[in-house]
Amino acid sequence: MKKSLVLLSVLLLSVAAVAQVRTGSIYGTVSDAQGGPLPGVSVTLTSPYGAPYTVVTDDLGKFRFPSLTPSSGYALTAELQGFKKQEKTGIVVVLGQQSKIDLALEQGTLDEQVTVVAVTPTIDAKKTSVGKNVTQEILQSLPSSRDPWNVMQMAPGVIMDR
């Protein structure tokens, strides 16, 4: 009887210990200036404890950062092409609670930059000959006979008169 009572009390205490929460979370919605949800926004969470973590908003503009260490030094940044970047700093994450942060992005200017890089071919003005290398694969893929006269017709500038 004593063993079962001890076992029952140990089980009850272990369940209470597992139920303790050691983290908090941040969630929210990203919308445009009119309040419409913005899907596909890159939301980056910067923490004082490690590297930044980035998520992308869903179809309803919602994002979530679960299991965060409690602190007051978190910062959120929301970015989407065509909108101004939105930053929010000093976000507090409390033990066992969810912090709701909603962000609204303003319409920005769409900047595009096009870079064209062209390389001019090198032309040797002193060379007047024309040549063609015929490999084994080219010979094997010929639909006609493989005699030398047909192969010579493949070279540029060669006209064969039979």
Side-chain angles (χ1 to χ4, degrees):
M1 180 72 176
K2 281 186 172 183
K3 287 184 181 181
S4 62
L5 185 60
V6 170
L7 181 63
L8 181 63
S9 63
V10 167
L11 285 175
L12 288 176
L13 289 175
S14 65
V15 170
V18 170
Q20 292 179 359
V21 178
R22 295 186 178 118
T23 61
S25 65
I26 295 175
Y27 74 100
T29 304
V30 180
S31 59
D32 59 11
Q34 289 76 31
L38 287 175
V41 178
S42 294
V43 181
T44 303
L45 178 71
T46 306
S47 103
Y49 301 112
Y53 183 60
T54 302
V55 296
V56 177
T57 58
D58 63 10
D59 293 339
L60 300 174
K62 296 186 181 295
F63 65 91
R64 176 174 293 281
F65 294 98
S67 303
L68 300 174
T69 305
S71 173
S72 61
Y74 287 98
L76 276 179
T77 305
E79 295 179 88
L80 182 63
Q81 188 172 1
F83 290 88
K84 293 180 183 176
K85 180 166 57 168
Q86 175 78 14
E87 294 183 47
K88 199 164 232 182
T89 59
I91 298 171
V92 178
V93 173
V94 180
L95 183 71
Q97 293 185 5
Q98 297 181 5
S99 301
K100 183 175 182 183
I101 307 295
D102 291 330
L103 301 169
L105 299 183
E106 295 179 20
Q107 189 76 29
T109 58
L110 186 60
D111 295 331
E112 288 189 29
Q113 181 177 359
V114 178
T115 304
V116 178
V117 178
V119 178
T120 57
T122 306
I123 299 174
D124 187 1
K126 296 178 182 176
K127 183 178 176 186
T128 59
S129 64
V130 176
K132 171 103 174 149
N133 290 329
V134 180
T135 63
Q136 183 68 25
E137 290 94 21
I138 293 174
L139 283 175
Q140 294 297 325
S141 66
L142 284 176
S144 61
S145 66
R146 293 180 183 91
D147 68 55
W149 302 110
N150 284 338
V151 174
M152 285 181 17
Q153 282 180 338
M154 293 173 35
V158 174
I159 300 172
M160 298 296 293
D161 185 19
R162 293 195 181 220

